[in-house]
Amino acid sequence: MSIAHIIGLGKSGNAAARLLKRERWEVTLSDRSSSPNLLQQQQELASEGIAVELGKTFEPVESIELIVVSPGVPWDTPALVRARELGIETIGEMALAWRYLKAPWVGISGTNGKTTTTALIAAIFAEAGLHAPACGNIGYAACELALAEKPPDWVIAEISSYQIESSPSVAPRIGVLTTLTPDHLSRHKTLENYYNIKAHLLKKSELQVINGDDPCLRQQGVDIWPDACWTSVKGEKELLGKRAFGAYIEDGWVIAQSEKILPASSLRMVGEHNLQNLLMAVAAANLAGIDKSAIAQAIAKFPGVSHRLEHIRTWEGIDFINDSKATNYDAAQVGLASVSAPAILIAGGDPKEGDDRAWIDTIKAKAAGVLLIGDAAGIFADRLEQANYNAWEIVETMERAIPRAAELAKQNHAKVVLLSPACASFDQYQNFEQRGDRFRQLCLESLAKKSG
């Protein structure tokens, strides 16, 4: 029996282990952590004949024939470098799924906008009667789709730079690149490395859709991507590439491949960035041959994405909005720019490298107060002070931030309380979803007590 080792428990690792077990591999799963949640997963997997090693750092041995890596495991970690030196095949969970999923893929990547674009595309394909679940960074793990009894008609995959790096074999029918700004530089070192990883997915794709309004992607231009479907919210005159192949907004209409598809006002989500996401989703669906009536119906029904400018509740005329998915400065700047002023901003968490100047300019223009949480609180306080913005407070936790935000909003006649952290979540939460869920829970519970 062939031997495989999976690094990293969780949705992706567990699905990869079950898929290989089904294919008659001898499977071991390992994770450096030994949290109570993982102990429960260990018991479940053991009952299925899958060995799980917790609290151990993986060391490769030559008897292993295949190593599958979960998305959060750095590709250049010494154990993986050593495994490749030993000639052990080492791939990401998404590459494993690619081997078993026979349906065509739409692969969506980029710094920001990929989750909304992925969700829009999945909604359009579903409206057209196709079984096309979202997977990867949202929805299912890709290997879960490979395990499902009903195979998908299409695979709609949000693919992070980590997943592209460890799954270079994935070659979508349609590749979508949403935006490119500095992110994950602690892992990828330079913007050029980061871009090259993203570009690899598009080079492997049969058809490409690229956001032509993104300055960095626009700079690459038609010399690099001569046959891509470029998009622009600024009209046909701003479109790069072959105009008859592009997608743009003109006179309030979304136009793709020279055909009017739907009014841009059909999308209920706020912000110009969401019109860009809409264009890319429509362009991808159009390239996949989906009827424009299904596209229009899906967009009209689309409710938005959890944790991305998600309206939680209105309390005493103040909207509480969850933008926990804004894990870098650019996403947080877009989020704050999209809401009504004045706003009370809750920011902070596990800090990232990046250029914060546009974000701070937007804070100065729109925020009546900023409440700082997590490890980044002191860093952000210093940066705001340097920028001559003094309406900040360090509150440390979400539990303190919500009631204080409500007070400040009333004092400043603010229309919005916005959680838009500009940070990863790992200092206080397992992921941005858990952070956003906690914000939602506190807004619903603590504000209900205040109303009472």
Side-chain angles (χ1 to χ4, degrees):
M1 188 179 282
S2 300
I3 298 172
H5 193 101
I6 319 288
I7 304 176
L9 264 77
K11 188 167 62 173
S12 297
N14 296 359
R18 288 180 170 120
L19 178 57
L20 286 170
K21 183 70 177 175
R22 187 191 74 182
E23 299 299 317
R24 303 187 185 282
W25 287 72
E26 182 182 323
V27 184
T28 301
L29 244 166
S30 67
D31 199 293
R32 286 184 304 175
S33 175
S34 54
S35 69
N37 178 43
L38 296 187
L39 288 168
Q40 184 180 347
Q41 292 180 47
Q42 181 184 41
Q43 291 171 354
E44 289 173 11
L45 290 160
S47 70
E48 298 171 38
I50 297 169
V52 178
E53 299 173 348
L54 296 180
K56 284 186 179 180
T57 301
F58 169 69
E59 292 295 336
V61 292
E62 290 182 356
S63 60
I64 296 171
E65 294 171 54
L66 176 67
I67 295 170
V68 181
V69 182
S70 297
V73 179
W75 193 236
D76 59 356
T77 190
L80 294 184
V81 172
R82 176 66 181 144
R84 294 194 288 272
E85 288 171 351
L86 290 169
I88 301 170
E89 186 179 17
T90 305
I91 61 173
E93 178 263 340
M94 198 155 270
L96 180 66
W98 173 255
R99 295 179 178 182
Y100 294 97
L101 286 165
K102 304 308 178 190
W105 287 42
V106 181
I108 303 97
S109 199
T111 309
N112 299 312
K114 56 185 180 290
T115 296
T116 301
T117 304
T118 303
L120 282 164
I121 292 170
I124 293 168
F125 279 58
E127 186 68 31
L130 295 164
H131 177 48
C135 72
N137 252 18
I138 64 168
Y140 297 94
C143 282
E144 287 181 298
L145 298 188
L147 281 164
E149 286 184 23
K150 183 182 179 183
D153 300 314
W154 282 78
V155 175
I156 314 299
E158 180 187 329
I159 309 178
S160 71
S161 56
Y162 298 176
Q163 289 164 317
I164 297 169
E165 190 177 35
S166 64
S167 301
S169 59
V170 173
R173 175 76 56 82
I174 301 167
V176 182
L177 194 46
T178 59
T179 56
L180 193 84
T181 54
D183 197 14
H184 304 303
L185 296 189
S186 59
R187 175 143 161 184
H188 300 311
K189 310 307 178 193
T190 67
L191 182 61
E192 183 181 12
N193 287 345
Y194 179 55
Y195 168 75
N196 287 337
I197 291 167
K198 298 285 189 188
H200 175 86
L201 182 74
L202 262 69
K203 287 173 183 170
K204 295 282 284 188
S205 301
E206 188 179 321
L207 300 165
Q208 296 93 17
V209 176
I210 305 176
N211 175 7
D213 293 327
D214 180 87
C216 189
L217 298 179
R218 194 176 182 87
Q219 189 178 356
Q220 302 300 320
V222 290
D223 292 341
I224 306 293
W225 306 107
D227 299 318
C229 170
W230 289 88
T231 67
S232 179
V233 299
K234 298 170 183 174
E236 187 180 12
K237 68 182 186 303
E238 291 295 319
L239 205 61
L240 294 177
K242 300 170 185 173
R243 297 199 169 186
F245 196 52
Y248 56 94
I249 295 175
E250 195 82 65
D251 298 326
W253 279 86
V254 172
I255 298 170
Q257 284 79 57
S258 303
E259 186 178 11
K260 282 186 174 181
I261 306 294
L262 74 158
S265 59
S266 300
L267 185 69
R268 289 181 279 171
M269 299 173 74
V270 299
E272 185 178 273
H273 65 291
N274 279 321
L275 292 178
Q276 291 166 339
N277 298 334
L278 169 65
L279 269 182
M280 289 180 284
V282 169
N286 208 48
L287 290 175
I290 289 179
D291 186 79
K292 69 178 186 180
S293 63
I295 297 174
Q297 287 167 21
I299 298 304
K301 293 177 185 175
F302 191 73
V305 175
S306 295
H307 312 294
R308 192 70 181 109
L309 292 171
E310 176 192 11
H311 182 270
I312 301 300
R313 69 172 300 172
T314 301
W315 175 78
E316 298 196 10
I318 304 158
D319 291 328
F320 285 73
I321 296 177
N322 168 22
D323 197 33
S324 182
K325 197 174 190 311
T327 59
N328 56 50
Y329 294 120
D330 296 280
Q333 187 276 326
V334 165
L336 184 55
S338 300
V339 302
S340 300
I344 303 299
L345 174 66
I346 301 170
D350 186 7
K352 287 184 176 181
E353 294 180 38
D355 186 345
D356 63 4
R357 289 173 295 181
W359 177 62
I360 287 176
D361 287 345
T362 307
I363 288 174
K364 291 169 78 172
K366 298 199 70 166
V370 179
L371 299 175
L372 300 171
I373 62 173
D375 287 355
I379 299 165
F380 284 1
D382 290 344
R383 288 292 295 124
L384 292 170
E385 196 84 17
Q386 289 164 17
N388 297 315
Y389 180 91
N390 300 309
W392 56 266
E393 297 175 24
I394 293 178
V395 292
E396 296 180 348
T397 65
M398 197 78 75
E399 288 72 16
R400 292 180 189 156
I402 303 303
R404 182 61 182 142
E407 289 172 11
L408 284 176
K410 290 181 79 171
Q411 289 169 19
N412 291 279
H413 306 290
K415 299 175 180 179
V416 170
V417 169
L418 174 69
L419 169 67
S420 193
C423 284
S425 55
F426 306 120
D427 57 335
Q428 295 179 320
Y429 302 94
Q430 288 185 348
N431 47 48
F432 73 81
E433 294 97 337
Q434 190 185 70
R435 176 171 62 191
D437 290 342
R438 183 61 176 150
F439 174 80
R440 182 191 298 112
Q441 180 188 13
L442 288 165
C443 286
L444 296 175
E445 289 177 0
S446 65
L447 298 177
K449 290 175 187 170
K450 277 182 174 286
S451 300

